[in-house]
Amino acid sequence: MNQIAYQFHSPLTLLQEWDGRTDGAPLRECLVTGYTLDLVFFERHCVPTARALGARVTVLGDAANAVHEAVDVRQAGRAYQHAQASCGGAFHPKVVILAGDDDVWAAIGSGNPTMSGWGHNHELWLVLRASRHQGPAAMRDLGAWLTELPQVVKVPSWIADTLTHVGHWITPDELDGSQTDLRIFGNLRRSLVRQLPAGPVRSLRMTAPFFDAQGRGIQALINRLQPREVDLALQERDSQYSGEALVAATASVGLTRFRYLDEGRTRHGKLVEWTIDDTTIAMTGSANLSAAALLATTADGGNCELVTTMPVPASLLPEGTAVDRATIVRNNTIPVDSRAQQHTLVVLGARRIQHTILVELVTTTSVPITIESSPDGTPGTWTPVHVFTATSTATQVLSFAAPEALGGAVRARAEQPGERLVSPVVFLTDTARCRPRDDTTNQPRMTLIAEDDNVLTDEVLARRFNADLLRLLSHVQERKVTTGTSALRSATGATAAAVPPDDRWGVWLESVERSLGPHLTGLLFPGVLAAPGLATTGWSVDTDVDDTELADGESDDAVEELTEAASAGSARLAPDIPASQRAQYRTWARRWTRAATATPRPPLELRMLVTRTYLVLLAAAVWGTDEAWRSDLSDLTRTLVPDAAEQEDVPGQALDFVSSLIAVCLALLLQDAALHGGGEHDIVAKAAWTDAAELAAYADPKLAEEYLHVPDKPYARVPAWGEVETVIDLAVTAADDPHAVDRATLENEGLPARMMDGVWVIDGEFRNPRRMAARVATLVTSPSAVVARNASKTTIVLRDGRTLAIAESTAPRWRVYTLSPMSTPVSLLTGDEGLPSGAKIYPLSPIPAAVSALAEKSRINEQLLQAALHT
């Protein structure tokens, strides 16, 4: 049901009403705009309730009119989106929009999101309650205004996306023909006065806190509406006006009445009201009775305003005390503005996307501009993070790598000759964390919120952790992994379009955090949950402290020892698990592995959690000298490789961590194992390498290091950093060279073989080419072809799996063998009795079909093989 009313009250009342709804309808969007903005007030009175209802909260204010101190702001950028708007005049609309799945409540009025605007002043609001599915044309017009706003007013790109989304979201699916007399319109491209009906009207009544010095706004309204009588109300001291200009502007009207309003509270409401016949129309909203508000367009450098017009049953003009013209003329409360603004420097917003900082600003200066950050905006804590020079007055979009020392508050500074420019402060925004709450109710979650790995040392907590993990693993979710779109989808598909494409990672990560908790998420994805600006910073007295200066009695050696000690103290140590509990942990780990590798597979983050926990238990020496862990870890490593659907849906940043975890696992599996050996450990390691090495090539060494532990316990199984680095290097090389692993294996064995036309060729003064060819054929990947030559003999070995063929220059025939499951080329061909019996023997020429098939598998030229035997 659509409802409309003029009300003197705070938008907080609307929020409280939504909170008190009996139907429990979630709130999806809470959008607030204003001229003056107090984020401290906003955080205290608006953000908690709106976020608790599930909304994304966005507040947009005029860049030059924040009344808060940055040091007092706590949640901007993390709990809600805050940005600054810039246009030729003042960014002045006062709008509050509460949007749910079915309902939209909009308040358009005069109050700024400050204690005065939403608490103390007399303000005037028009409140419209409508359905998203069927609604009045005015709601469509409000949606269109929001969509067009970022095309005229400069705002950050992610705020533009939000405004556009909310604009589309609140536009009714169809118009219901209700509230046909209600209009909502702004002055983006057409002045407000030009959109009012032409007169004549019987009477015109007006009140506002601000008038222009020449009375041009009043004069324009009178010229447009042509009233027979005018009533003008204002506060004698609190309003800003030139009495002489007001009297002159109304001189052409036959009857003009002035009234002073009570000074007890600021009268901040804006009202233009006219009567035609017996109908009174009221224009309310943000527009003062000034030329900048009424006569100019935003596109041409005027203010940005939003107003409504609606018939009212009775006049909204406040009562007051009548005063004569002579009294009005004597007063002029407009302050003298001595500020001659020469240059502009406004940071519209700052955003962090993984390891990149995005800053958008506008400026008219051409000198170098320094972007600075601070943990919380306290004096003496601002640190330069980027320097650039603007190339135009258009919005400048800066993108640079996030420095290690980065605070949550951001500003720009420039040293203009004779003038120091410092922009208002913005706050680094994580748009994914600010998004609407996901209403997913069936997502399994860890009930035990672990603080560190030492939860595994407490028998009771460890059992809870095991039960939680098995429960999550057994809960087979939809195979489509949550993405930046689906994570936002409510029961009705509510806010799917609200997420920018580059937020897929943040949304996916938040879904993981909701399931596993912040600690486990931080362990799986080290560093990603660390938000800038959370540290407590004290006031700095001296900003020029030399950090390298030694204190009395301090030496360079002492400082170095302290640094090394601090570094060692921060290393990752495995928990101390009592020997009596290790058998239980091995049993649990086996169950986790079976569940993580089952079909259909659990979500990627759960497979990562099992693998990472397995590594912790290995570092804690849970298996001692038992090597049974190898098979499980190999299976876990292979299951970390995303399937086709996951590669499509999982954000690329997540795969960076998966690749790094795989590299650590492979390094551990390759301890006491070789990729081409025939032993049990070799075969297990080879299986993991074959499936996962391609992904290990993308491992980030810094991320991989985060998964390592200090081997501080007897029998701890921990890969050294050098082993991990070797795996990454080998995987990278193998990605470009399919024979890289074979080359590395042969090099480690001291075999100087080289690849020529698809054949491994080894020449030398060795005594037995057959033995040499057999060794190479055993070590390299099958299918393969090997030629070993010395001065008197050439041996060729072809192999594909268990089929092997051999020919030698001293015996002109081919022998084809079938290897037993336990035999290798070395064991078959290097016995003291010579070549074994049991082969199928063929002449050298023509090449038999069995040998030709092996050559084709190895993609080698048969004629080259024959030529090799005759050289």
Side-chain angles (χ1 to χ4, degrees):
M1 179 178 179
N2 301 327
Q3 296 179 346
I4 183 171
Y6 285 102
Q7 296 173 295
F8 286 97
H9 75 127
S10 165
L12 294 176
T13 306
L14 283 184
L15 196 59
Q16 292 163 2
E17 287 183 21
W18 195 295
D19 189 27
R21 292 176 59 155
T22 57
D23 59 2
L27 185 62
R28 302 299 181 186
E29 299 283 353
C30 174
L31 174 63
V32 178
T33 70
Y35 174 64
T36 306
L37 177 59
D38 183 352
L39 290 183
V40 177
F41 165 83
F42 189 69
E43 288 183 356
R44 181 177 301 130
H45 296 285
C46 180
V47 174
T49 303
R51 289 297 281 172
L53 289 169
R56 170 172 61 179
V57 180
T58 305
V59 60
L60 185 62
D62 186 86
N65 285 278
V67 298
H68 52 261
E69 295 292 338
V71 69
D72 297 321
V73 178
R74 292 289 179 267
Q75 304 172 50
R78 294 190 291 272
Y80 63 94
Q81 297 184 135
H82 158 253
Q84 301 183 133
S86 178
C87 55
F91 180 75
H92 208 245
K94 286 82 172 172
V95 182
V96 177
I97 294 176
L98 305 181
D101 294 338
D102 300 311
D103 299 314
V104 178
W105 295 358
I108 302 163
S110 59
N112 291 301
T114 64
M115 178 63 77
S116 297
W118 284 14
H120 181 267
N121 295 346
H122 281 294
E123 306 286 358
L124 186 57
W125 293 91
L126 180 141
V127 179
L128 172 61
R129 293 175 171 87
S131 166
R132 285 188 57 239
H133 309 297
Q134 291 183 321
M139 190 60 78
R140 178 197 60 191
D141 296 338
L142 177 59
W145 178 81
L146 283 172
T147 302
E148 189 179 12
L149 183 65
Q151 302 174 26
V152 181
V153 176
K154 294 176 180 178
V155 297
S157 56
W158 55 95
I159 299 298
D161 291 341
T162 300
L163 294 173
T164 301
H165 169 70
V166 175
H168 291 313
W169 186 251
I170 68 173
T171 301
D173 297 333
E174 60 180 88
L175 302 183
D176 61 4
S178 66
Q179 310 296 346
T180 55
D181 293 327
L182 171 64
R183 293 181 60 207
I184 300 176
F185 57 97
N187 67 329
L188 293 177
R189 303 186 190 275
R190 190 179 179 200
S191 71
L192 296 180
V193 164
R194 288 183 58 195
Q195 298 178 72
L196 297 180
V201 301
R202 188 178 72 193
S203 61
L204 172 63
R205 293 174 291 278
M206 299 172 285
T207 184
F210 299 96
F211 302 77
D212 62 85
Q214 292 77 35
R216 293 176 58 208
I218 295 292
Q219 184 66 65
L221 287 171
I222 290 174
N223 292 343
R224 181 73 176 179
L225 296 170
Q226 302 175 34
R228 294 198 298 268
E229 57 184 54
V230 168
D231 286 275
L232 186 60
L234 64 160
Q235 289 180 298
E236 181 179 8
R237 293 181 298 276
D238 287 347
S239 298
Q240 290 188 13
Y241 63 98
S242 166
E244 183 178 357
L246 295 183
V247 169
T250 58
S252 63
V253 181
L255 176 60
T256 301
R257 292 179 291 265
F258 295 94
R259 68 179 73 172
Y260 277 148
L261 304 177
D262 178 74
E263 299 276 351
R265 293 168 63 187
T266 299
R267 290 280 184 176
H268 198 254
K270 289 87 170 163
L271 173 67
V272 177
E273 186 179 86
W274 60 92
T275 300
I276 303 176
D277 298 327
D278 294 326
T279 301
T280 297
I281 309 295
M283 183 178 84
T284 61
S286 66
N288 285 296
L289 303 181
S290 65
L294 298 174
L295 305 184
T297 67
T298 310
D300 291 333
N303 290 356
C304 179
E305 307 283 358
L306 186 69
V307 299
T308 68
T309 60
M310 179 73 182
V312 293
S315 175
L316 299 177
L317 191 71
E319 296 292 334
T321 303
V323 294
D324 56 28
R325 289 174 177 265
T327 302
I328 292 289
V329 167
R330 289 196 297 267
N331 290 333
N332 187 340
T333 60
I334 296 179
V336 177
D337 189 359
S338 60
R339 295 172 298 173
Q341 187 177 19
Q342 297 178 349
H343 297 93
T344 299
L345 181 57
V346 175
V347 178
L348 301 173
R351 183 180 173 204
R352 182 168 188 165
I353 307 173
Q354 188 64 353
H355 303 300
T356 301
I357 302 301
L358 183 68
V359 175
E360 299 185 14
L361 60 81
V362 292
T363 184
T364 57
T365 185
S366 59
V367 301
I369 297 172
T370 301
I371 305 299
E372 301 178 322
S373 78
S374 164
D376 56 7
T378 52
T381 63
W382 290 99
T383 303
V385 294
H386 186 70
V387 178
F388 87 107
T389 301
T391 57
S392 73
T393 58
T395 300
Q396 304 290 299
V397 179
L398 315 178
S399 180
F400 52 91
E404 291 187 7
L406 180 68
V410 177
R411 72 181 187 185
R413 174 177 52 81
E415 301 296 335
Q416 186 76 22
E419 182 183 16
R420 186 174 191 265
L421 301 176
V422 179
S423 75
V425 176
V426 297
F427 301 91
L428 205 58
T429 298
D430 184 338
T431 55
R433 288 190 171 275
C434 295
R435 69 178 182 83
R437 183 180 63 211
D438 184 8
D439 287 339
T440 303
T441 57
N442 62 347
Q443 180 178 6
R445 303 177 182 181
M446 294 287 286
T447 59
L448 173 63
I449 306 301
E451 294 298 329
D452 54 45
D453 286 328
N454 286 327
V455 67
L456 298 175
T457 64
D458 184 292
E459 188 172 358
V460 174
L461 294 181
R463 290 184 180 278
R464 288 182 58 191
F465 175 82
N466 171 63
D468 262 4
L469 184 52
L470 288 174
R471 176 176 54 82
L472 263 64
L473 289 167
S474 64
H475 187 102
V476 180
Q477 301 175 337
E478 282 187 55
R479 284 306 308 128
K480 184 172 182 180
V481 180
T482 300
T483 66
T485 300
S486 58
L488 274 178
R489 188 175 294 118
S490 69
T492 61
T495 50
V499 180
D502 51 12
D503 267 345
R504 289 183 63 239
W505 165 236
V507 173
W508 188 87
L509 188 68
E510 187 183 33
S511 176
V512 174
E513 183 181 357
R514 192 165 53 248
S515 177
L516 302 183
H519 171 69
L520 291 178
T521 304
L523 291 178
L524 295 184
F525 306 100
V528 298
L529 298 185
L534 294 178
T536 301
T537 304
W539 293 81
S540 176
V541 177
D542 186 358
T543 61
D544 298 322
V545 175
D546 183 3
D547 292 333
T548 65
E549 185 177 355
L550 298 177
D552 292 341
E554 193 174 51
S555 67
D556 289 327
D557 292 340
V559 171
E560 186 174 351
E561 289 175 4
L562 287 172
T563 302
E564 291 176 355
S567 177
S570 63
R572 286 166 293 280
L573 300 175
D576 294 316
I577 297 178
S580 59
Q581 297 179 21
R582 292 177 182 176
Q584 178 67 76
Y585 279 101
R586 292 194 294 270
T587 300
W588 288 347
R590 183 58 183 153
R591 291 175 183 168
W592 301 339
T593 301
R594 285 199 300 267
T597 56
T599 302
R601 300 192 300 179
L604 178 62
E605 64 270 19
L606 291 183
R607 303 187 326 254
M608 291 180 68
L609 176 59
V610 171
T611 306
R612 193 265 171 190
T613 307
Y614 211 104
L615 293 177
V616 172
L617 296 180
L618 284 168
V622 166
W623 276 265
T625 59
D626 187 353
E627 298 286 340
W629 56 270
R630 290 183 178 272
S631 179
D632 281 353
L633 186 60
S634 178
D635 291 342
L636 290 173
T637 305
R638 295 157 68 189
T639 199
L640 287 178
V641 178
D643 57 28
E646 287 174 329
Q647 291 183 16
E648 179 71 22
D649 292 335
V650 173
Q653 295 93 328
L655 299 183
D656 292 340
F657 290 92
V658 173
S659 301
S660 303
L661 185 58
I662 284 174
V664 173
C665 294
L666 290 176
L668 193 53
L669 288 167
L670 286 171
Q671 287 183 345
D672 304 322
L675 287 177
H676 291 298
E680 181 181 358
H681 300 347
D682 305 329
I683 295 172
V684 169
K686 175 64 175 179
W689 176 271
T690 300
D691 287 351
E694 183 177 355
L695 207 56
Y698 296 95
D700 183 335
K702 291 183 178 179
L703 295 181
E705 192 171 10
E706 294 291 333
Y707 296 116
L708 300 181
H709 289 78
V710 176
D712 62 334
K713 298 172 178 61
Y715 306 113
R717 299 308 301 246
V718 178
W721 166 239
E723 294 172 324
V724 177
E725 192 173 31
T726 298
V727 164
I728 296 175
D729 291 343
L730 184 57
V732 169
T733 304
D736 298 326
D737 177 8
H739 303 294
V741 175
D742 292 336
R743 295 183 200 279
T745 302
L746 295 174
E747 183 178 346
N748 290 338
E749 294 292 325
L751 299 174
R754 64 192 188 279
M755 175 62 67
M756 297 177 60
D757 297 322
V759 179
W760 289 105
V761 179
I762 182 167
D763 294 302
E765 299 180 358
F766 38 80
R767 181 171 172 270
N768 189 341
R770 182 191 302 168
R771 179 179 293 275
M772 192 62 64
R775 287 186 62 194
V776 174
T778 299
L779 293 171
V780 300
T781 304
S782 170
S784 62
V786 181
V787 173
R789 301 182 295 201
N790 62 14
S792 58
K793 183 179 178 180
T794 298
T795 299
I796 296 178
V797 173
L798 305 180
R799 182 189 178 190
D800 179 26
R802 295 175 58 190
T803 303
L804 179 145
I806 182 172
E808 296 182 301
S809 58
T810 56
R813 62 185 60 86
W814 284 102
R815 287 181 168 84
V816 180
Y817 294 91
T818 299
L819 295 170
S820 70
M822 300 303 294
S823 63
T824 66
V826 169
S827 64
L828 177 72
L829 302 178
T830 60
D832 294 336
E833 294 80 12
L835 291 174
S837 59
K840 294 182 180 179
I841 302 176
Y842 304 95
L844 282 181
S845 182
I847 294 181
V851 176
S852 182
L854 292 176
E856 184 177 352
K857 280 291 188 70
S858 300
R859 297 182 179 180
I860 58 175
N861 189 301
E862 298 176 2
Q863 285 70 31
L864 291 179
L865 289 180
Q866 292 218 356
L869 290 172
H870 294 90
T871 57

